[in-house]
Amino acid sequence: VKLQDVKKITVLGAGIMGSGIAEVCARGNYKVHMTDLTSELTSRGLEKIKTSLAKAIEKGRITKENANATVTNIKVTTDMREACRDTSMVIEATPEELELKKRIFKQLDDLCPREAILATNTSGIMVTDIAAATTRPELVIGIHFFNPAPVMKLIEIVRGTLTSDETYNFSVDFCRKLGKVPVPVNDSPGFFTTRYIASCITEAIRLFEHGIANIKDIDTMSKLAFNWPLGPFELADFVGLDTLLHILEYLFREIGDPRYAAPLTLKKLVKSGFLGSPTTKAGSKGGFYEYYQISRE
Ligand SMILES: NC(=O)c1ccc[n+]([C@@H]2O[C@H](COP(=O)([O-])OP(=O)(O)OC[C@H]3O[C@@H](n4cnc5c(N)ncnc54)[C@H](O)[C@@H]3O)[C@@H](O)[C@H]2O)c1
């Protein structure tokens, strides 16, 4: 596929990342088809996009006309076959589970045009593993956006073992056209960014479990000492605790280093339905802040 020939982009998943990625692509003047399992989920995703666009207008980043054009560029559907028809490129943003992603990529391989690029927004599952579920590993690549996708500049570009130079070059140009900064990394569990931040967040949870400091104070110290915009617990709630748990379980299984073993507190919260910040995460009872009844002020 050539960048100028891209007619349609398919975004799989209308959750935190899928809706953000759909917005970014639509703002870049691409026609986007965003899918999820139910129409409630696609509508929720579309609402998130509208809220995000309203914020961008308020901040003077885009005009009202841009926002309207963006919404017009997005179609939502629960029909994967329809979403994949005539697509130039898929960006998959479904839950962080290897078996699920493999199943989805096999389906995409069957449903998408032969030359379509199949990208995954996985936070850390090896692209080589996902690509192996298809008959076109040369067209599979990791395009790892950060949350919130419309705001964050970095995109980690992950080359699988068999990703072709054409697919890599296309992806770099595509990200630049969206106004992002693509940085290439080699395939490995967690790539660079996820492996690094997972160990920081995990360490913060363990220090809390050891009684060194409380959640709010750890966040305050991280922000004031290191100039982080969010503390590790705020970041965990924002990312989604289930996503974080999936990432840690995968890193621990693949790398075998106990520093990636999921902390007990995180497991307990996820098993009890505390999946992260209720404002961003569908169906969540809350995150660390809600469970421990800490004020976010
Ligand atoms: N949350 C973050 O900060 C973040 C950042 C970068 C990357 N990621 C990665 O992005 C991916 C998505 O994460 P998220 O936070 O958006 O999760 P999420 O739970 O908010 O959204 C995932 C969505 O995928 C939908 N889905 C499940 N199966 C599907 C299918 N077969 N077809 C279409 N949709 C399907 C779910 O219903 C859900 O709405 C994960 O791989 C995650 O690791 C997340």
Side-chain angles (χ1 to χ4, degrees):
V1 185
K2 294 215 168 54
L3 199 54
Q4 61 271 25
D5 297 337
V6 171
K7 296 276 178 308
K8 165 175 163 184
I9 296 175
T10 304
V11 176
L12 232 55
I16 296 180
M17 293 309 292
S19 61
I21 293 167
E23 179 185 332
V24 172
C25 296
R27 275 165 77 166
N29 286 324
Y30 290 108
K31 299 273 176 234
V32 180
H33 280 221
M34 179 172 76
T35 75
D36 207 305
L37 299 176
T38 65
S39 49
E40 286 74 35
L41 289 164
T42 53
S43 309
R44 209 187 140 104
L46 202 54
E47 281 314 307
K48 264 198 71 195
I49 293 174
K50 289 180 182 161
T51 310
S52 160
L53 289 171
K55 253 194 226 156
I57 296 175
E58 213 177 281
K59 292 197 170 148
R61 290 208 187 102
I62 57 168
T63 63
K64 233 181 158 153
E65 290 69 40
N66 292 151
N68 290 339
T70 300
V71 175
T72 318
N73 279 340
I74 302 173
K75 271 184 86 172
V76 297
T77 174
T78 54
D79 181 352
M80 190 152 157
R81 189 175 294 274
E82 148 81 16
C84 292
R85 187 177 306 128
D86 300 328
T87 195
S88 308
M89 175 185 200
V90 177
I91 306 176
E92 169 272 326
T94 65
E96 187 72 352
E97 293 165 48
L98 175 61
E99 289 313 315
L100 172 73
K101 290 201 194 284
K102 279 190 175 168
R103 229 177 22 249
I104 288 175
F105 271 73
K106 185 170 180 329
Q107 239 179 322
L108 289 174
D109 195 33
D110 292 339
L111 296 176
C112 294
R114 196 50 240 163
E115 66 287 355
I117 287 180
L118 305 182
T120 172
N121 181 55
T122 174
S123 304
I125 294 174
M126 284 216 288
V127 171
T128 305
D129 244 353
I130 296 173
T134 73
T135 59
R136 58 177 99 181
E138 70 286 358
L139 289 166
V140 178
I141 191 158
I143 300 190
H144 181 201
F145 288 79
F146 293 82
N147 185 16
V151 176
M152 302 297 278
K153 286 269 180 230
L154 179 67
I155 295 186
E156 202 174 15
I157 301 277
V158 188
R159 292 186 76 147
T161 313
L162 298 175
T163 306
S164 69
D165 288 345
E166 289 76 13
T167 301
Y168 169 75
N169 291 329
F170 168 90
S171 304
V172 166
D173 291 345
F174 172 72
C175 294
R176 290 204 177 116
K177 184 160 183 283
L178 296 178
K180 302 294 185 190
V181 180
V183 176
V185 300
N186 286 319
D187 201 12
S188 156
F191 323 132
F192 166 73
T193 54
T194 298
R195 186 159 166 180
Y196 180 65
I197 199 66
S199 64
C200 293
I201 294 178
T202 309
E203 190 60 17
I205 300 173
R206 278 199 242 285
L207 291 173
F208 160 67
E209 289 176 343
H210 288 309
I212 309 294
N214 70 39
I215 288 176
K216 182 106 182 171
D217 288 344
I218 290 176
D219 277 349
T220 301
M221 286 189 277
S222 304
K223 289 186 280 191
L224 297 184
F226 314 130
N227 228 357
W228 289 8
L230 297 177
F233 290 94
E234 289 169 325
L235 183 59
D237 284 354
F238 186 60
V239 166
L241 301 187
D242 54 339
T243 300
L244 180 61
L245 180 60
H246 285 310
I247 291 169
L248 287 170
E249 286 173 344
Y250 178 76
L251 289 179
F252 183 54
R253 202 166 59 237
E254 293 292 318
I255 301 169
D257 185 329
R259 95 177 73 176
Y260 301 110
L264 188 58
T265 314
L266 178 67
K267 285 190 195 162
K268 283 183 170 173
L269 259 61
V270 172
K271 283 183 199 297
S272 317
F274 285 80
L275 307 180
S277 169
T279 51
T280 51
K281 187 86 193 175
S284 169
K285 291 183 186 165
F288 278 100
Y289 275 73
E290 284 71 27
Y291 180 76
Y292 288 100
Q293 300 181 354
I294 306 163
S295 156
R296 285 186 186 268
E297 296 311 307

